[in-house]
Amino acid sequence: MTTPSQSTVTDKTSNQETLISSNDISSNNISANAKTHKLLLINGVNLNLLGKREPEIYGHTTLADIEKNLVARAAKYGIELICIQSNHEGKLVDEIQHYGLLAESAAQVDAIIINPAAFTHTSVAIRDALSATQKPFIEVHLSNVHARESFRQHSYFSDIAVGVICGLGHLGYQMALDYWLTHTYDLKLDS
């Protein structure tokens, strides 16, 4: 039984519970290396239009379909995938901060998958927010940005990303998720 100043944290991969006090969380006595088993999926401007906007470039799969499949895959391995999308740069910065430095240690995400969309080429603010989290991230693009207009070939994120996946459509998201599942949590994945 926990008291009001205590919480139970469950390690979903081992199903073991650990009792922690609110003092442990607030004073950061929880190891900085402790895993929360949470990942953040960020989708930028206009990605809410997937399946309708230029399907010859972005495909027919909707963002809701992508998120549903990824959430189910992550949950299968005991990982919570938090999905956010916004057409507003400041909203994305707020969300990144919320799940990064502004969150208690036990509530922070372990890693991030981001498709910044058009913010790729313009947003120093989102770049700075990602850097501030000190969490690794993978940059994903549905289309091959290097085969498109020259302005789309510059990214404010690629040089600080763990990796970049582009041109593979919605499968790029699953590749990024699978990377975090195997490299962050040392999970063995089903085929």
Side-chain angles (χ1 to χ4, degrees):
M1 177 173 205
T2 62
T3 66
S5 65
Q6 294 177 321
S7 298
T8 303
V9 176
T10 304
D11 180 341
K12 294 180 181 177
T13 55
S14 66
N15 230 9
Q16 293 184 348
E17 292 185 346
T18 304
L19 190 63
I20 58 172
S21 74
S22 57
N23 291 338
D24 288 335
I25 295 172
S26 62
S27 65
N28 286 327
N29 288 340
I30 295 176
S31 166
N33 294 327
K35 303 284 189 265
T36 62
H37 295 86
K38 296 178 186 179
L39 298 172
L40 180 61
L41 172 63
I42 303 166
N43 280 286
V45 66
N46 292 322
L47 291 173
N48 57 311
L49 299 176
L50 286 179
K52 296 178 181 179
R53 175 186 172 224
E54 300 177 275
E56 67 282 0
I57 295 173
Y58 301 110
H60 295 279
T61 306
T62 67
L63 182 58
D65 291 337
I66 291 169
E67 290 176 343
K68 179 183 170 188
N69 291 333
L70 294 174
V71 166
R73 184 162 180 80
K76 176 180 176 180
Y77 295 101
I79 306 300
E80 179 184 358
L81 182 67
I82 301 161
C83 302
I84 60 173
Q85 186 280 326
S86 182
N87 294 323
H88 305 281
E89 182 180 40
K91 172 71 172 157
L92 293 176
V93 169
D94 289 344
E95 293 288 344
I96 292 165
Q97 290 177 355
H98 174 77
Y99 291 105
L101 290 178
L102 295 180
E104 298 290 347
S105 296
Q108 291 183 5
V109 296
D110 296 320
I112 299 168
I113 300 166
I114 183 169
N115 182 343
F119 291 134
T120 303
H121 327 294
T122 63
S123 185
V124 174
I126 294 173
R127 174 197 169 97
D128 287 350
L130 287 167
S131 291
T133 68
Q134 299 178 347
K135 301 295 181 182
F137 70 91
I138 295 174
E139 179 181 352
V140 174
H141 297 283
L142 294 160
S143 67
N144 181 354
V145 294
H146 303 290
R148 298 188 62 195
E149 303 94 336
S150 61
F151 71 87
R152 294 188 193 277
Q153 296 174 17
H154 171 74
S155 169
Y156 279 100
F157 304 94
S158 298
D159 65 317
I160 59 171
V162 170
V164 178
I165 302 170
C166 69
L168 301 178
H170 65 89
L171 296 177
Y173 286 99
Q174 183 177 324
M175 292 172 155
L177 175 62
D178 287 355
Y179 180 87
W180 292 134
L181 294 175
T182 58
H183 288 77
T184 301
Y185 306 110
D186 297 321
L187 296 170
K188 303 290 183 230
L189 306 182
D190 299 336
S191 299

